[in-house]
């Protein structure tokens, strides 16, 4: 009995000791430098006129936005200490913090908010974010009232992360084109960090903003974003401890390698909003692919399980529809198209494509986005032997570079193409564009290049875009996705295996829906 | 009119036929015979192998990146998609050898034509053709081939043409030198004196005598062309619809740290092929070159 007691005592001591360590570490430490490594290189640092992760990571440190989002998709106060949406959804009132100042000491007013919304509306590639904005009233210096021509529930998300940086009107309002404004390389914002040096292609050095509007934040003294020429050399630098944090790791062999390092944490949290879907797009105007049975057959013939488990080492996730899992608008109930070669064969027979003497039915060409080989090239090459099983001969067409591929796909000169398209938080921003009839625009990549058109889907998406009630909105998106998945203009395959690898010295690693594309004011580093 | 080929006296009674003599010299060269043996084995494996080992090299047969010797289905392992490496080695040879041969043929055709005309006619023709040759010679060959493949497509035909188009200048210079040398020899003057036309002199008098060094260079060109194709493949410019050793290297490159076999084995096949071709080329050089005969 005695022995047992002492054992439990020891056990308690051990658990106590173990439990004590994280509690100690959870006490944020001030000071220190966070080194972030990235392979995507920004051309400039103004996210108001430029989309993409390269500008967004430094951009969200320099510029503050009216709102920020937590990991459960709930809006939180940021520059706006409070906000209210009118009952009819036609206006949003923002009440700004009184103490907020730009890095040059000038106060932030509602004028700057109105100016920034106009600038983003006029210049940002995501037109749908603020196109319903009619005007922004500024009754006083701390109140901005945004009026919409129709209800626009996506607006709250469009006021977070890198999507609505509040620009200083006294800098950007000088009449110069904001896309080529000299301040884009040395921007004045109001975020937790201010710019020290930006060397394109090499690094962005940021230092603590001592007058940040949130008291006692940020914890870090410096953030250095270093740019690497490829993912392998960056992974090596992380392994050696030269880099504290590597966001957007996509190569699954690197993920596996970094996971083995005892000094690192590797997580797939922080990518819910960016929502990257890897898919096989069909040209629905193609003489064979215009039959939905053929598209369904191909979708049934793809072994999604093999791709995720064998090709991606289990690090990517199944994407079965337009909206990624992890988004409140995800539709889990759609047809999953589990591998079914028999069904694929009978659908093709039904469509009138019988096997000829050589056992083949017809021939299709496949293009792929050059870049992440594991996601695009590998799957294109996998489809060659896989679709042969159902009598489809696949010819892989290589594009030597991005412009070649994008001009083929955007001019609709393709049969099938492997592609990655991002949700960007709200379906209005990143999902509608792929399916609306009036977004079949030749020459525009990532528009409706599939030439898919269903007026019913258009109607549901239009309703969903203006539905203020979140539950009803989600239901509308589920309906639209069920139709889209059934008609299969796209074979949805997987989400990119985005991971963040970071040193165990880092506390409060960014895991909100925007991950590192959000202010890192809570992140700290122990020595 | 007398047959001009008699003028250089090789067919005098009692003399050995030059081909037979070369073969005798070649046989004495162990390295060259070893090369010939290697190449014969490769050709047999490439031609007969697919009938014996009838596995589609594109087919996914087992888990991706299985190492050699672990699974009987894929004795030499699998690549990043799970395709059988052994099937790839056996089926991929034809394309690689064909590219090598076709590229060498193109090289010799262009090189010989340009070199022969320049070396025979001299003057303005020579000036124009040699400036043209120099133009091609100063372009970095690999870069130029990459541009051609990128501009058109990465199909095997384009790859073969691209390699041929960038590698003919040395052959042209060699052919020109031979023609320059031979056109001043007495038997050419003799042929001319009995009224032979230019065309006949080029085809029947000079060409047969200029051939030996050209054959050697053509043989070595096959090896270079195969290496070239592998190089283009390594840069990702191989034809993904035709299984070749180069394609295997190109597609396995990304996983070289995790799966050495997917790159090393086809690389070894290319090495053996190029080695065999080079040994044969050297052997031919020795056999044809009278100065080295009794070395």
């Amino acid at each position: 009995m005695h022995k047992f007691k002492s054992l439990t005592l020891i056990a308690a001591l051990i658990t106590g000791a173990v439990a004590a360590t994280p509690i100690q570490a959870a006490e944020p430490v001030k000071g220190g430098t966070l080194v972030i490594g990235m392979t995507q290189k920004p051309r400039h640092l103004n996210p108001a006129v430029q989309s993409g992760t390269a500008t967004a990571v430094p951009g969200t440190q320099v510029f503050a936005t009216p709102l920020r989002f937590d990991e459960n998709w709930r809006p939180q106060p940021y520059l706006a200490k409070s906000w209210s949406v009118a009952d009819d959804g036609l206006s949003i009132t923002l009440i700004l913090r009184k103490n907020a100042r730009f890095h040059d000491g000038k106060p932030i007013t509602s004028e700057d908010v109105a100016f920034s919304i106009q600038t983003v509306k006029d210049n940002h590639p995501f037109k749908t974010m603020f196109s319903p904005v009619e005007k922004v009233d500024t009754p006083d210096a701390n109140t901005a009232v945004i009026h919409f021509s129709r209800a626009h529930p996506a607006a709250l998300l469009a006021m977070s992360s890198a999507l609505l940086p509040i620009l200083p009107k006294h800098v950007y309002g000088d009449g110069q084109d904001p896309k080529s404004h000299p301040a884009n390389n040395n921007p004045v914002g109001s975020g937790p960090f201010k710019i020290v040096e930006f060397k394109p292609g090499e690094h962005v050095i940021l230092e603590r903003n001592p007058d940040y509007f949130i008291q006692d934040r940020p914890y870090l003294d410096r953030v250095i974003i270093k740019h690497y020429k490829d993912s392998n050399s960056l992974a090596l630098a992380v392994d050696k401890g030269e880099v504290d944090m590597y966001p957007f790791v996509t190569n699954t062999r690197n993920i596996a390698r970094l996971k083995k390092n005892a000094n690192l944490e590797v997580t797939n949290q922080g990518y819910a909003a960016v929502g990257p879907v890897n898919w096989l797009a069909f040209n629905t105007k193609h003489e064979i692919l215009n039959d939905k049975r053929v598209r369904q057959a191909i979708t049934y013939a793809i072994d999604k399980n093999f791709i995720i488990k064998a090709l991606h080492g289990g690090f990517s996730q199944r994407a079965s529809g337009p909206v990624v899992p992890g988004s409140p608008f995800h539709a889990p109930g759609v047809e999953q198209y589990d591998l079914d070669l028999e069904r694929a064969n009978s659908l093709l027979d039904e469509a009138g494509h019988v096997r000829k003497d050589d056992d083949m039915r017809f021939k299709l060409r496949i293009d792929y986005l050059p870049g992440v080989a594991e996601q695009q090239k590998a799957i294109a090459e996998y489809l060659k032997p896989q679709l042969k099983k159902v009598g489809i001969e696949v010819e892989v067409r290589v594009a030597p570079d991005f412009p070649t591929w994008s001009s083929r796909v955007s001019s609709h000169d393709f049969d099938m193409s492997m592609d990655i398209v991002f949700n960007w938080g709200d379906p209005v921003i990143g999902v509608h564009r792929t399916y609306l009839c009036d977004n079949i625009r030749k020459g525009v990549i990532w528009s409706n290049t599939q030439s898919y058109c269903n007026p019913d889907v258009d109607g549901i998406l239009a309703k969903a875009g203006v539905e203020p009630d979140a539950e009803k909105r989600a239901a509308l998106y589920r309906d639209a996705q069920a139709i889209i998945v059934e008609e299969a203009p796209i074979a949805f395959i997987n989400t990119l295996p985005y991971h963040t690898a970071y040193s165990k010295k880092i506390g409060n690693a960014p895991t909100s829906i925007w991950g590192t594309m959000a202010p890192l004011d809570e992140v700290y580093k122990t020595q | 009119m007398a047959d001009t080929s008699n003028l250089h006296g090789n067919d005098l009674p009692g003399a050995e036929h030059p081909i037979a003599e070369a073969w005798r010299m070649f046989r004495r060269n162990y390295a060259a015979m070893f090369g010939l043996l290697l190449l014969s084995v490769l050709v047999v494996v490439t031609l007969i192998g697919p009938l014996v080992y009838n596995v589609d090299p594109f087919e996914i047969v087992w888990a991706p990146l299985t190492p050699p010797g672990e699974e009987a289905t894929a004795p030499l392992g699998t690549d990043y998609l799970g395709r059988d490496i052994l099937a790839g080695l056996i089926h991929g040879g034809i394309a690689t050898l064909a590219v090598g041969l076709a590229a060498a043929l193109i090289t010799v055709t262009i090189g010989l034509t340009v070199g022969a005309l320049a070396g025979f006619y001299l003057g303005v023709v020579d000036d124009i053709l040699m400036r043209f040759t120099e133009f091609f010679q100063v372009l970095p060959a690999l870069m130029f081939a990459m541009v051609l493949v990128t501009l058109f497509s990465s199909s095997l035909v384009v790859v073969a043409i691209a390699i041929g188009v960038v590698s003919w200048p040395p052959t042209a210079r060699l052919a020109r030198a031979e023609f320059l040398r031979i056109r001043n020899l007495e038997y050419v003057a003799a042929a001319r004196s009995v009224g032979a036309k230019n065309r006949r002199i080029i085809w029947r008098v000079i060409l047969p005598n200029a051939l030996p060094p050209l054959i050697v260079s053509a043989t070595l060109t096959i090896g270079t062309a195969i290496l070239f194709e592998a190089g283009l493949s390594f840069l990702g410019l191989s034809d993904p619809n035709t299984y070749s050793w180069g394609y295997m290297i190109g597609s396995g490159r990304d996983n070289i740290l995790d799966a050495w076999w997917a790159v090393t084995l086809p690389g070894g096949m290319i090495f053996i092929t190029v080695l065999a071709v080079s040994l044969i080329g050297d052997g031919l050089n020795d056999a044809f070159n009278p100065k080295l005969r009794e070395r």
Side-chain angles (χ1 to χ4, degrees):
Chain A
M1 206 56 200
H2 239 44
K3 206 175 178 185
F4 178 73
K5 252 188 186 164
S6 56
L7 268 178
T8 33
L9 189 69
I10 291 167
L13 277 173
I14 291 169
T15 27
V18 170
T21 332
I23 290 166
Q24 259 173 358
E27 194 63 47
V29 186
K30 280 190 164 239
T33 300
L34 172 72
V35 181
I36 300 176
M38 290 187 72
T39 51
Q40 304 281 90
K41 300 167 187 72
R43 287 189 293 137
H44 64 73
L45 303 178
N46 183 1
V49 297
Q50 172 81 49
S51 69
T53 56
T55 299
V57 174
T60 48
Q61 311 317 318
V62 174
F63 291 103
T65 47
L67 304 175
R68 62 203 286 182
F69 275 70
D70 67 9
E71 59 272 23
N72 297 315
W73 294 82
R74 284 181 308 223
Q76 304 291 328
Y78 192 26
L79 257 180
K81 66 178 180 193
S82 68
W83 66 96
S84 58
V85 183
D87 289 339
D88 57 6
L90 291 176
S91 69
I92 294 176
T93 306
L94 299 175
I95 309 293
L96 303 177
R97 291 178 197 258
K98 285 206 170 81
N99 63 341
R101 284 173 187 280
F102 284 110
H103 296 157
D104 61 4
K106 300 238 167 62
I108 296 169
T109 68
S110 51
E111 287 290 325
D112 296 304
V113 174
F115 173 77
S116 304
I117 290 177
Q118 194 60 44
T119 306
V120 172
K121 184 184 173 183
D122 293 343
N123 296 286
H124 199 282
F126 300 165
K127 299 277 174 234
T128 51
M129 288 196 301
F130 294 106
S131 60
V133 172
E134 275 185 333
K135 60 175 177 158
V136 181
D137 284 340
T138 52
D140 66 55
N142 300 309
T143 311
V145 187
I146 310 165
H147 294 276
F148 301 102
S149 57
R150 53 173 194 265
H152 187 46
L156 289 180
L157 198 91
M159 284 193 273
S160 71
S161 182
L163 301 175
L164 181 60
I166 297 306
L167 308 171
K169 190 180 178 187
H170 59 270
V171 174
Y172 281 94
D174 58 1
Q176 293 190 64
D177 180 0
K179 284 188 179 166
S180 55
H181 200 284
N184 288 351
N185 284 333
N186 189 17
V188 178
S190 54
F193 297 94
K194 48 188 188 177
I195 191 100
V196 176
E197 186 183 59
F198 169 42
K199 266 197 169 175
E202 286 187 32
H203 59 236
V204 182
I205 300 176
L206 304 161
E207 69 175 6
R208 186 174 189 273
N209 170 14
D211 305 317
Y212 188 46
F213 53 83
I214 300 176
Q215 270 242 302
D216 298 326
R217 302 283 189 282
Y219 294 121
L220 294 162
D221 280 342
R222 273 185 170 228
V223 173
I224 298 175
I225 301 169
K226 275 172 104 171
H227 297 116
Y228 285 78
K229 72 175 178 7
D230 60 62
S231 54
N232 287 336
S233 55
L234 175 49
L236 224 59
V238 179
D239 241 347
K240 283 193 284 185
E242 289 166 15
V243 168
D244 301 312
M245 188 180 285
Y246 175 9
F248 305 101
V249 193
T250 10
N251 183 308
T252 56
R253 314 234 168 264
N254 282 339
I255 297 172
R257 198 165 301 140
L258 293 170
K259 276 204 166 200
K260 284 187 202 141
N261 187 328
N263 300 321
L264 297 175
E265 292 284 351
V266 179
T267 173
N268 60 3
Q269 295 301 299
Y271 300 100
V274 63
V277 194
N278 193 32
W279 71 39
L280 176 71
F282 299 114
N283 184 348
T284 61
K285 287 278 171 282
H286 183 272
E287 50 175 1
I288 294 171
L289 293 169
N290 61 10
D291 187 333
K292 84 172 176 193
R293 289 171 298 188
V294 175
R295 305 195 297 262
Q296 290 168 337
I298 294 175
T299 315
Y300 277 118
I302 302 171
D303 189 350
K304 277 73 63 176
N305 210 27
F306 173 84
I307 292 174
I308 291 165
K309 297 261 170 62
L311 292 188
H312 299 159
F315 290 118
S316 62
Q317 256 184 300
R318 172 85 174 106
S320 51
V323 177
V324 289
S327 160
F329 304 108
H330 176 59
V334 298
E335 172 62 49
Q336 295 295 306
Y337 289 98
D338 290 332
L339 176 70
D340 191 341
L341 295 179
E342 241 169 79
R343 181 126 185 224
N345 274 317
S346 64
L347 279 164
L348 291 168
D349 288 339
E350 245 175 72
H353 300 289
V354 286
R355 287 184 190 254
K356 291 180 216 126
D357 296 339
D358 60 351
D359 224 25
M360 290 287 133
R361 302 171 194 271
F362 51 81
K363 185 175 172 173
L364 290 174
R365 233 172 17 196
I366 185 167
D367 286 273
Y368 62 85
L369 173 77
V372 188
E374 227 175 27
Q375 301 295 324
Q376 308 293 298
K377 177 171 168 257
I379 295 178
E381 294 193 343
Y382 155 77
L383 288 176
K384 193 179 168 72
Q386 184 64 16
L387 294 185
K388 196 180 168 193
K389 292 181 185 167
V390 294
I392 302 173
E393 190 184 343
V394 174
E395 183 195 325
V396 181
R397 181 164 64 158
V398 182
D401 50 25
F402 176 78
T404 312
W405 172 83
S406 101
S407 83
R408 279 174 190 166
V409 172
S410 65
S411 62
H412 305 176
D413 165 31
F414 74 105
D415 303 348
M416 309 188 283
S417 178
M418 281 306 302
D419 193 358
I420 297 172
V421 179
F422 295 77
N423 277 180
W424 285 109
D426 196 284
V428 167
I429 304 171
V431 177
H432 286 207
R433 56 179 173 171
T434 313
Y435 310 97
L436 295 178
C437 298
D438 65 2
N439 204 29
I440 304 174
R441 293 190 289 163
K442 273 204 175 180
V444 182
I445 192 67
W446 298 314
S447 60
N448 183 354
T449 46
Q450 293 69 240
S451 307
Y452 172 72
C453 183
N454 180 342
D456 292 345
V457 170
D458 273 22
I460 301 172
L461 290 180
K463 259 204 228 160
V466 299
E467 174 57 58
D469 182 86
E471 275 310 310
K472 284 185 194 159
R473 211 175 159 222
L476 285 167
Y477 278 121
R478 282 197 293 274
D479 293 348
Q481 290 182 80
I483 301 175
I484 293 168
V485 170
E486 198 271 330
E487 298 194 322
I490 285 163
F492 301 95
I493 298 178
N494 64 286
T495 61
L496 279 195
Y498 272 159
H499 279 65
T500 305
Y502 58 94
S503 153
K504 286 200 169 147
K505 290 180 189 162
I506 303 301
N508 287 346
T511 51
S512 76
I513 58 165
W514 288 113
T516 46
M517 296 194 289
L520 301 172
D521 54 351
E522 313 238 289
V523 177
Y524 63 90
K525 185 178 178 182
T526 57
Q527 290 320 303
Chain B
M1 186 180 290
D3 188 353
T4 44
S5 64
N6 280 339
L7 289 171
H8 45 92
N10 275 338
D11 293 347
L12 286 177
E16 193 180 12
H17 191 275
I19 303 289
E21 190 189 1
W23 172 237
R24 188 170 53 80
M25 299 300 298
F26 188 86
R27 257 186 328 195
R28 273 208 252 155
N29 187 333
Y30 295 123
M33 286 307 285
F34 176 64
L36 192 63
L37 183 76
L38 268 184
L39 192 67
S40 316
V41 171
L42 279 170
V43 169
V44 167
V45 166
T46 301
L47 294 179
I48 314 287
L51 304 174
V52 180
Y53 194 77
N54 190 15
V55 176
D56 181 354
F58 281 109
E59 200 189 325
I60 291 162
V61 297
W62 201 252
L65 305 182
T66 307
E70 272 195 9
E71 171 50 45
T73 315
L76 292 183
T78 60
D79 74 353
Y80 77 109
L81 284 181
R83 298 177 292 201
D84 186 354
I85 298 284
L86 179 62
L89 294 182
I90 290 173
H91 291 251
I94 287 191
T96 302
L97 291 177
V99 166
L101 271 177
L105 209 63
I106 295 168
T107 305
V108 170
T109 311
I110 305 178
L112 187 60
T113 313
V114 170
L117 293 177
F120 185 79
Y121 287 105
L122 297 177
V124 186
V125 179
D126 186 31
D127 280 345
I128 292 173
L129 287 176
M130 281 300 108
R131 292 304 86 76
F132 182 65
T133 309
E134 277 157 17
F135 171 75
F136 273 87
Q137 205 160 21
V138 294
L139 289 171
L142 188 62
M143 294 291 274
F144 189 32
M146 282 170 65
V147 169
L148 289 177
V149 173
T150 307
L151 269 183
F152 299 100
S153 68
S154 52
S155 77
L156 223 51
V157 177
V158 175
V159 170
I161 293 175
I163 297 171
V165 164
V166 300
S167 39
W168 61 267
T171 314
R173 297 189 75 94
L174 183 67
R176 175 177 175 272
E178 281 299 296
F179 269 69
L180 263 180
R181 180 178 67 81
I182 296 171
R183 79 189 292 277
N184 294 325
L185 294 182
E186 278 134 6
Y187 59 79
V188 177
R192 213 184 281 282
S193 72
V194 293
K197 297 256 169 33
N198 280 347
R199 190 146 61 124
R200 185 175 177 85
I201 294 174
I202 292 176
W203 277 105
R204 301 295 302 272
V205 185
I206 305 185
L207 187 60
N209 291 287
L211 267 186
L214 287 171
I215 290 173
V216 173
S217 124
T219 317
L220 295 173
T221 308
I222 297 176
T224 327
I226 291 173
L227 283 180
F228 227 107
E229 197 250 345
L232 287 174
S233 301
F234 189 78
L235 298 169
L237 293 169
S238 57
D239 185 352
N241 299 297
T242 317
Y243 225 87
S244 71
W245 293 334
Y247 168 73
M248 292 174 81
I249 293 179
S251 69
R253 186 191 60 158
D254 289 340
N255 301 305
I256 193 165
L257 292 178
D258 302 285
W260 57 268
W261 55 91
V263 182
T264 316
L265 297 179
M269 293 301 272
I270 289 176
F271 170 74
I272 293 171
T273 313
V274 175
L275 179 72
V277 171
S278 298
L279 289 175
I280 294 171
D282 279 347
L284 287 175
N285 193 28
D286 292 352
F288 282 133
N289 197 334
K291 290 197 181 110
L292 298 172
R293 272 195 191 163
E294 300 307 327
R295 193 172 48 172

